[in-house]
Amino acid sequence: MKRLTFACSLLLASGTISLANGLFWVVGNRATGKCNIVTSNPVIYGDIWFGDGPYKSKDDAKLARSTIRACPVLTPDEQKAEDGAG
């Protein structure tokens, strides 16, 4: 019975961790004056002054970034570089 309980708790823990994979956050970086899309939950400290999310897809995060007033609009070159990197 103890083995079954341990196996179930291990399965539940690994399932919860895997749910965090594939999520995106929008963060504001004071040092660069830009908003970045990251794949880990941001720690709001120092140059990182806000975090918004999580979002289920990168496209959702891009849409959210475009609606945040503090985020500057990306130039076409920046958009192309971002699309090529992701």
Side-chain angles (χ1 to χ4, degrees):
M1 187 65 174
K2 287 184 181 182
R3 286 185 186 184
L4 182 61
T5 305
F6 177 72
C8 288
S9 64
L10 187 61
L11 183 63
L12 181 65
S14 65
T16 321
I17 291 171
S18 67
L19 287 177
N21 292 341
L23 297 177
F24 299 89
W25 286 263
V26 178
V27 296
N29 189 334
R30 236 185 274 259
T32 62
K34 295 183 179 184
C35 294
N36 302 319
I37 297 174
V38 297
T39 57
S40 62
N41 194 354
V43 176
I44 310 303
Y45 181 75
D47 287 334
I48 304 299
W49 60 286
F50 79 86
D52 188 40
Y55 297 99
K56 291 184 180 182
S57 70
K58 190 169 185 177
D59 289 334
D60 289 344
K62 286 180 182 180
L63 179 63
R65 178 178 59 191
S66 69
T67 63
I68 298 172
R69 286 181 162 209
C71 295
V73 177
L74 294 179
T75 65
D77 292 336
E78 291 172 333
Q79 287 177 349
K80 187 185 292 186
E82 184 177 83
D83 291 339

